[in-house]
């Protein structure tokens, strides 16, 4: 009798677990597959999201996926799962995150009631999609992954045509200013601060330091006859899918294998030692970006236009 009771308890627990798993599956059923070069992307919506809202959100996700693929001609990972969760809020996309794993994933918490234009106006989707460009470099070097995502959260909407260049560079300059104002922990260098980011709430300085690093690297790459998208494409072909424990040193060394000079390693060492975000006036001017009273104006001289275009697409080489 005791054995029967034990077996029944085990069986009943298995039934409960199975029921919960089925409930989760029903709550987030695969409802869409995105058509993007080089990737199998499946989207699962929370069941409470209406069919017409699912269709609207699918358009938004499709456009963001395409813009990432257009950066260098293909999507950076072969497989991706996207989960969309309903989250009533005062904005279209209150929160989003990337999930690292054997198959990478993105999770978007959305308020489905907002119109499509509000989704496209939000920066979180291009930010999270841009995380897929490189593997997770470890928490000590999280400023690299967050920095690249922060840079391209502004540039991928230009690729997709949902933002103007003016909007993108204004967003970038505003980000640099927010990062520069995040100056409560200047006793720490960037390499010391990054692993303390959550404890010290130093997100802005960490994120936008990384963005400035990649913008500076992009300039040096163009001067060397290549571009940031081209370097990221070469990295994707050789290394993006490797299952190794990445860190900043390994990552920048791999990037520099594709270039004639040690662009990334030199800048990486320099930025690790920074205790604040320096002014980017000269760097921005090289791209034809002038800032007066915090407002951006763009130069349309041919060399400036080509330098900016070389940030957005691999097929716009500025050399």
């Amino acid at each position: 009798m005791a054995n029967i009771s034990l077996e029944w308890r085990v069986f009943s627990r298995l039934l409960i677990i199975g029921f919960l798993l089925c409930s989760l599956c029903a709550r987030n059923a695969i409802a869409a597959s995105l058509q993007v070069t080089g990737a199998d992307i499946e989207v699962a919506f929370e069941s409470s999201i209406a069919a017409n809202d699912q269709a609207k959100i699918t358009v938004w996700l499709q456009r963001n996926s395409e813009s990432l693929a257009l950066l260098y001609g293909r999507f950076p990972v072969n497989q991706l799962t996207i989960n969309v969760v309903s989250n009533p809020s005062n904005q279209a996309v209150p929160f989003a995150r990337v999930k690292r794993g054997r198959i990478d994933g993105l999770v978007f918490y959305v308020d489905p009631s907002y119109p499509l234009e509000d989704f496209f106006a939000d920066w979180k989707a291009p930010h999270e999609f841009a995380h897929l460009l490189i593997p997770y470099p470890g928490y000590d070097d999280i400023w690299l992954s967050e920095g690249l995502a922060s840079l391209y959260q502004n540039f991928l909407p230009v690729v997709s045509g949902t933002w103007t260049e003016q909007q993108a560079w204004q967003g970038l300059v505003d980000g640099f200013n927010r990062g520069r104002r995040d100056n409560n922990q200047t006793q720490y260098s960037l390499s010391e601060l990054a692993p303390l980011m959550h404890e010290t709430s130093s997100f802005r300085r960490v994120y936008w330091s990384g963005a400035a690093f990649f913008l500076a690297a992009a300039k040096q790459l163009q001067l060397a006859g290549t571009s940031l998208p081209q370097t990221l494409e070469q990295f994707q072909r050789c290394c993006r899918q490797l299952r190794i424990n990445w860190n900043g040193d390994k990552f920048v060394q791999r990037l520099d294998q594709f270039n004639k000079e040690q662009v990334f390693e030199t800048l990486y060492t320099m930025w690790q030692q920074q205790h604040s975000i320096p002014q980017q006036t000269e760097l921005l001017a090289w791209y034809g970006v002038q800032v007066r009273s915090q407002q951006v104006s763009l130069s349309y001289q041919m060399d400036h236009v080509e330098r900016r275009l070389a940030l957005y697409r691999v097929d716009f080489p500025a050399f």
Side-chain angles (χ1 to χ4, degrees):
M1 196 68 181
N3 287 339
I4 294 174
S5 177
L6 176 61
E7 289 174 358
W8 171 249
R9 287 200 299 270
V10 171
F11 179 68
S12 63
R13 288 178 183 177
L14 288 174
L15 280 176
I16 293 170
I17 292 170
F19 175 77
L20 290 173
L21 287 174
C22 288
S23 298
L24 287 172
C25 291
R27 190 181 180 209
N28 291 283
I30 300 298
S33 294
L34 305 184
Q35 304 301 313
V36 181
T37 303
D40 176 16
I41 304 176
E42 292 186 334
V43 183
F45 289 94
E46 188 176 78
S47 59
S48 63
I49 300 176
N52 61 324
D53 289 326
Q54 290 186 23
K56 172 182 62 184
I57 293 167
T58 299
V59 170
W60 170 63
L61 294 172
Q62 177 72 38
R63 181 77 67 86
N64 277 280
S65 301
E66 290 171 350
S67 68
L68 185 61
L70 284 171
L71 185 64
Y72 54 65
R74 62 157 292 134
F75 206 72
V77 295
N78 298 326
Q79 290 182 283
L80 179 70
T81 60
I82 300 176
N83 286 281
V84 182
V85 181
S86 179
N87 191 123
S89 178
N90 61 355
Q91 55 185 308
V93 191
F95 183 65
R97 60 187 177 92
V98 62
K99 296 191 301 180
R100 303 288 191 173
R102 188 180 62 82
I103 297 177
D104 287 324
L106 301 177
V107 182
F108 292 100
Y109 298 83
V110 304
D111 186 333
S113 67
Y114 280 84
L116 185 58
E117 54 266 30
D118 284 21
F119 283 87
F120 281 128
D122 193 272
W123 58 268
K124 297 179 194 71
H127 181 97
E128 300 306 328
F129 273 97
H131 268 301
L132 303 173
L133 288 167
I134 63 174
Y136 181 59
Y139 203 58
D140 287 352
D141 292 294
I142 197 170
W143 62 276
L144 290 169
S145 56
E146 293 295 353
L148 188 63
S150 297
L151 183 69
Y152 275 105
Q153 76 183 43
N154 295 287
F155 294 159
L156 289 180
V158 176
V159 176
S160 66
T162 54
W163 289 12
T164 66
E165 272 201 297
Q166 181 77 27
Q167 288 175 295
W169 286 94
Q170 186 68 60
L172 187 63
V173 168
D174 290 346
F176 288 154
N177 288 336
R178 289 194 300 272
R180 202 172 293 113
R181 290 194 297 269
D182 185 4
N183 57 6
N184 294 325
Q185 305 294 335
T186 54
Q187 70 271 27
Y188 296 117
S189 67
L190 182 57
S191 64
E192 294 168 333
L193 184 63
L196 301 174
M197 180 177 69
H198 284 90
E199 294 92 323
T200 59
S201 297
S202 300
F203 301 97
R204 292 176 176 179
R205 181 180 150 200
V206 170
Y207 281 39
W208 293 103
S209 292
F213 163 83
F214 277 105
L215 188 65
K219 173 187 174 181
Q220 295 303 316
L221 291 171
Q222 291 188 31
L223 292 173
T226 183
S227 71
L228 181 55
Q230 185 172 344
T231 301
L232 291 171
E233 178 192 23
Q234 291 171 306
F235 178 81
Q236 192 276 336
R237 289 181 182 277
C238 87
C239 314
R240 177 62 183 87
Q241 305 294 336
L242 294 179
R243 297 298 172 185
I244 63 176
N245 291 323
W246 290 95
N247 60 30
D249 283 319
K250 292 178 184 177
F251 176 63
V252 298
Q253 287 168 15
R254 286 296 180 105
L255 292 181
D256 276 337
Q257 287 179 357
F258 312 122
N259 305 306
K260 300 172 184 176
E261 303 173 12
Q262 290 186 321
V263 170
F264 287 95
E265 289 184 71
T266 301
L267 287 172
Y268 174 71
T269 300
M270 182 180 76
W271 274 91
Q272 279 185 311
Q273 300 167 4
Q274 297 283 0
H275 285 255
S276 62
I277 301 179
Q279 290 287 344
Q280 303 300 310
T281 305
E282 291 185 12
L283 178 61
L284 291 167
W286 190 83
Y287 290 103
V289 180
Q290 299 292 329
V291 184
R292 296 183 180 87
S293 301
Q294 308 304 319
Q295 295 302 305
V296 162
S297 62
L298 302 181
S299 163
Y300 289 94
Q301 294 180 17
M302 186 56 68
D303 57 341
H304 290 148
V305 171
E306 289 180 344
R307 291 168 184 173
R308 294 197 301 271
L309 289 176
L311 287 163
Y312 315 148
R313 293 275 293 274
V314 74
D315 55 359
F316 286 125
F319 49 86

